[in-house]
């Protein structure tokens, strides 16, 4: 069974409460329970969330050599963090960059990602379903 971790960055602990008109009304824990049901027996899906850049990097290091894939929503660090981009380049597991919103329809500051070039692929704009699409992409990858 493939081992996948979803890593969520800053402010994503407030999904369901935070700007629901952009991010929807569902708590991530509830969505994760749905994912676990969907992939029961097909993938082992772990979850980590932190608002702290260094802790996200630590988690990438911890999981990046023995997991089959990483789904990363780095939140606003997407647009700023060379350190997270370097961490992605330092590990062997494929990383899929995920965004709930379509960042390209939003403010120009969200159009640039520091991490995209280090990732295997990018999925944005499908609401919470972006995470499932990323899991599907990892499961379909030969190396994952
Ligand atoms: C986000 C988009 C980012 O621009 C923003 O800072 C977030 C969430 C998304 O999932 O749409 O925190 O990554």
């Amino acid at each position: 069974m493939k081992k996948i971790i979803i890593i969520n960055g800053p402010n994503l602990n407030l999904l369901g409460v935070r700007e629901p008109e952009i991010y929807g009304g569902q708590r991530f824990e509830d969505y994760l329970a749905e994912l676990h049901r969907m992939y029961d027996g097909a993938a082992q899906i772990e979850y980590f969330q932190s608002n702290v850049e260094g802790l996200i990097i630590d988690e990438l290091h911890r999981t990046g050599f023995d997991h089959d894939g990483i789904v990363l929503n780095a939140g606003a660090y997407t647009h700023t963090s060379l350190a997270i981009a370097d961490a992605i380049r330092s590990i062997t597991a494929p990383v899929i960059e995920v965004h709930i919103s379509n960042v390209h329809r939003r403010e120009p500051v969200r159009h640039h990602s520091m991490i995209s070039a280090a990732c295997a692929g990018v999925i944005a704009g499908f609401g919470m379903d972006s995470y499932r699409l990323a899991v599907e992409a990892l499961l379909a990858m030969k190396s994952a």
Side-chain angles (χ1 to χ4, degrees):
M1 191 160 48
K2 293 186 174 170
K3 210 157 86 169
I4 291 171
I5 182 161
I6 297 174
I7 299 179
N8 268 345
N11 302 306
L12 293 166
N13 54 313
L14 293 182
L15 285 173
V17 175
R18 166 197 188 199
E19 298 181 278
E21 65 287 359
I22 296 174
Y23 300 111
Q26 190 174 27
R27 290 168 62 245
F28 195 79
E29 289 69 17
D30 295 335
Y31 177 72
L32 187 62
E34 281 177 26
L35 272 187
H36 282 152
R37 274 192 296 275
M38 270 184 242
Y39 289 97
D40 188 29
Q44 184 189 320
I45 303 176
E46 297 169 19
Y47 178 57
F48 176 85
Q49 190 278 329
S50 178
N51 296 317
V52 181
E53 188 175 19
L55 295 180
I56 295 166
I57 292 168
D58 284 345
E59 193 63 12
L60 287 166
H61 292 175
R62 188 185 75 77
T63 57
F65 296 95
D66 72 339
H67 282 54
D68 297 298
I70 298 174
V71 175
L72 174 64
N73 186 345
Y77 288 140
T78 302
H79 315 296
T80 62
S81 181
L82 182 59
I84 291 178
D86 282 348
I88 295 167
R89 289 194 173 93
S90 303
I91 60 178
T92 53
V95 178
I96 310 281
E97 174 184 347
V98 158
H99 300 288
I100 298 163
S101 63
N102 179 351
V103 283
H104 299 287
R105 292 179 67 173
R106 300 181 63 191
E107 313 93 295
V109 70
R110 296 183 202 274
H111 296 179
H112 181 256
S113 166
M114 294 293 286
I115 67 173
S116 293
C119 289
V122 182
I123 295 171
F126 297 97
M128 293 294 230
D129 203 37
S130 294
Y131 291 95
R132 183 191 62 81
L133 292 168
V135 169
E136 283 294 323
L138 285 172
L139 292 179
M141 280 175 74
K142 281 198 177 69
S143 55

